[in-house]
PDB file of all heavy atoms in Angstrom:
ATOM      1  N   CYS A 302      -3.089 -33.579   2.427  1.00  0.00           N
ATOM      2  CA  CYS A 302      -3.185 -34.058   1.055  1.00  0.00           C
ATOM      3  C   CYS A 302      -4.531 -33.641   0.465  1.00  0.00           C
ATOM      4  O   CYS A 302      -5.582 -33.922   1.042  1.00  0.00           O
ATOM      5  CB  CYS A 302      -3.045 -35.577   1.023  1.00  0.00           C
ATOM      6  SG  CYS A 302      -3.372 -36.266  -0.619  1.00  0.00           S
ATOM      7  N   SER A 303      -4.472 -32.965  -0.676  1.00  0.00           N
ATOM      8  CA  SER A 303      -5.712 -32.480  -1.288  1.00  0.00           C
ATOM      9  C   SER A 303      -6.519 -33.629  -1.900  1.00  0.00           C
ATOM     10  O   SER A 303      -7.693 -33.465  -2.223  1.00  0.00           O
ATOM     11  CB  SER A 303      -5.400 -31.434  -2.355  1.00  0.00           C
ATOM     12  OG  SER A 303      -4.572 -31.988  -3.356  1.00  0.00           O
ATOM     13  N   GLY A 304      -5.873 -34.807  -2.028  1.00  0.00           N
ATOM     14  CA  GLY A 304      -6.571 -35.960  -2.593  1.00  0.00           C
ATOM     15  C   GLY A 304      -7.375 -36.731  -1.563  1.00  0.00           C
ATOM     16  O   GLY A 304      -8.536 -37.064  -1.787  1.00  0.00           O
ATOM     17  N   CYS A 305      -6.755 -36.987  -0.402  1.00  0.00           N
ATOM     18  CA  CYS A 305      -7.413 -37.859   0.575  1.00  0.00           C
ATOM     19  C   CYS A 305      -7.611 -37.208   1.942  1.00  0.00           C
ATOM     20  O   CYS A 305      -8.275 -37.783   2.801  1.00  0.00           O
ATOM     21  CB  CYS A 305      -6.625 -39.157   0.729  1.00  0.00           C
ATOM     22  SG  CYS A 305      -5.009 -38.896   1.496  1.00  0.00           S
ATOM     23  N   GLY A 306      -7.021 -36.041   2.177  1.00  0.00           N
ATOM     24  CA  GLY A 306      -7.236 -35.343   3.440  1.00  0.00           C
ATOM     25  C   GLY A 306      -6.282 -35.735   4.552  1.00  0.00           C
ATOM     26  O   GLY A 306      -6.345 -35.194   5.646  1.00  0.00           O
ATOM     27  N   GLN A 307      -5.369 -36.711   4.259  1.00  0.00           N
ATOM     28  CA  GLN A 307      -4.406 -37.100   5.290  1.00  0.00           C
ATOM     29  C   GLN A 307      -3.277 -36.074   5.399  1.00  0.00           C
ATOM     30  O   GLN A 307      -2.947 -35.410   4.424  1.00  0.00           O
ATOM     31  CB  GLN A 307      -3.793 -38.439   4.928  1.00  0.00           C
ATOM     32  CG  GLN A 307      -4.665 -39.597   5.310  1.00  0.00           C
ATOM     33  CD  GLN A 307      -3.850 -40.882   5.326  1.00  0.00           C
ATOM     34  OE1 GLN A 307      -2.844 -40.984   6.033  1.00  0.00           O
ATOM     35  NE2 GLN A 307      -4.279 -41.841   4.530  1.00  0.00           N
ATOM     36  N   ARG A 309       0.415 -35.092   5.357  1.00  0.00           N
ATOM     37  CA  ARG A 309       1.714 -35.541   4.845  1.00  0.00           C
ATOM     38  C   ARG A 309       2.742 -34.492   5.210  1.00  0.00           C
ATOM     39  O   ARG A 309       2.895 -33.494   4.502  1.00  0.00           O
ATOM     40  CB  ARG A 309       1.675 -35.677   3.305  1.00  0.00           C
ATOM     41  CG  ARG A 309       0.806 -36.735   2.788  1.00  0.00           C
ATOM     42  CD  ARG A 309       1.500 -38.087   2.802  1.00  0.00           C
ATOM     43  NE  ARG A 309       0.510 -39.120   3.077  1.00  0.00           N
ATOM     44  CZ  ARG A 309       0.751 -40.191   3.841  1.00  0.00           C
ATOM     45  NH1 ARG A 309       1.922 -40.347   4.394  1.00  0.00           N
ATOM     46  NH2 ARG A 309      -0.189 -41.085   4.021  1.00  0.00           N
ATOM     47  N   HIS A 318       4.466 -32.637  -3.533  1.00  0.00           N
ATOM     48  CA  HIS A 318       3.580 -33.372  -2.633  1.00  0.00           C
ATOM     49  C   HIS A 318       3.297 -34.750  -3.221  1.00  0.00           C
ATOM     50  O   HIS A 318       2.835 -34.869  -4.357  1.00  0.00           O
ATOM     51  CB  HIS A 318       2.267 -32.597  -2.446  1.00  0.00           C
ATOM     52  CG  HIS A 318       1.238 -33.364  -1.682  1.00  0.00           C
ATOM     53  ND1 HIS A 318       1.163 -33.346  -0.302  1.00  0.00           N
ATOM     54  CD2 HIS A 318       0.246 -34.178  -2.099  1.00  0.00           C
ATOM     55  CE1 HIS A 318       0.159 -34.121   0.081  1.00  0.00           C
ATOM     56  NE2 HIS A 318      -0.413 -34.631  -0.988  1.00  0.00           N
ATOM     57  N   CYS A 320       1.625 -38.595  -2.140  1.00  0.00           N
ATOM     58  CA  CYS A 320       0.852 -39.275  -1.094  1.00  0.00           C
ATOM     59  C   CYS A 320       0.557 -40.718  -1.499  1.00  0.00           C
ATOM     60  O   CYS A 320       0.489 -41.051  -2.681  1.00  0.00           O
ATOM     61  CB  CYS A 320      -0.446 -38.512  -0.851  1.00  0.00           C
ATOM     62  SG  CYS A 320      -1.499 -39.258   0.397  1.00  0.00           S
ATOM     63  N   GLU A 321       0.368 -41.585  -0.497  1.00  0.00           N
ATOM     64  CA  GLU A 321       0.074 -43.008  -0.746  1.00  0.00           C
ATOM     65  C   GLU A 321      -1.206 -43.201  -1.548  1.00  0.00           C
ATOM     66  O   GLU A 321      -1.377 -44.199  -2.236  1.00  0.00           O
ATOM     67  CB  GLU A 321      -0.066 -43.755   0.583  1.00  0.00           C
ATOM     68  CG  GLU A 321       1.268 -43.988   1.262  1.00  0.00           C
ATOM     69  CD  GLU A 321       1.116 -44.241   2.757  1.00  0.00           C
ATOM     70  OE1 GLU A 321      -0.030 -44.302   3.234  1.00  0.00           O
ATOM     71  OE2 GLU A 321       2.155 -44.353   3.423  1.00  0.00           O
ATOM     72  N   CYS A 322      -2.089 -42.224  -1.442  1.00  0.00           N
ATOM     73  CA  CYS A 322      -3.365 -42.351  -2.158  1.00  0.00           C
ATOM     74  C   CYS A 322      -3.181 -42.158  -3.666  1.00  0.00           C
ATOM     75  O   CYS A 322      -4.123 -42.322  -4.436  1.00  0.00           O
ATOM     76  CB  CYS A 322      -4.387 -41.358  -1.631  1.00  0.00           C
ATOM     77  SG  CYS A 322      -4.074 -39.658  -2.147  1.00  0.00           S
ATOM     78  N   GLY A 323      -1.971 -41.805  -4.067  1.00  0.00           N
ATOM     79  CA  GLY A 323      -1.700 -41.636  -5.499  1.00  0.00           C
ATOM     80  C   GLY A 323      -1.651 -40.179  -5.939  1.00  0.00           C
ATOM     81  O   GLY A 323      -1.307 -39.885  -7.082  1.00  0.00           O
ATOM     82  N   THR A 324      -1.996 -39.262  -5.005  1.00  0.00           N
ATOM     83  CA  THR A 324      -1.946 -37.838  -5.359  1.00  0.00           C
ATOM     84  C   THR A 324      -0.497 -37.365  -5.465  1.00  0.00           C
ATOM     85  O   THR A 324       0.302 -37.622  -4.578  1.00  0.00           O
ATOM     86  CB  THR A 324      -2.671 -37.004  -4.290  1.00  0.00           C
ATOM     87  OG1 THR A 324      -3.996 -37.513  -4.156  1.00  0.00           O
ATOM     88  CG2 THR A 324      -2.718 -35.539  -4.665  1.00  0.00           C
TER      89      THR A 324
HETATM   90 ZN1   ZN B   1      -3.498 -38.517  -0.200  1.00  0.00          ZN
END
Side-chain angles (χ1 to χ4, degrees):
C302 172
S303 59
C305 67
Q307 278 197 57
R309 293 277 146 218
H318 173 87
C320 179
E321 286 159 4
C322 74
T324 305

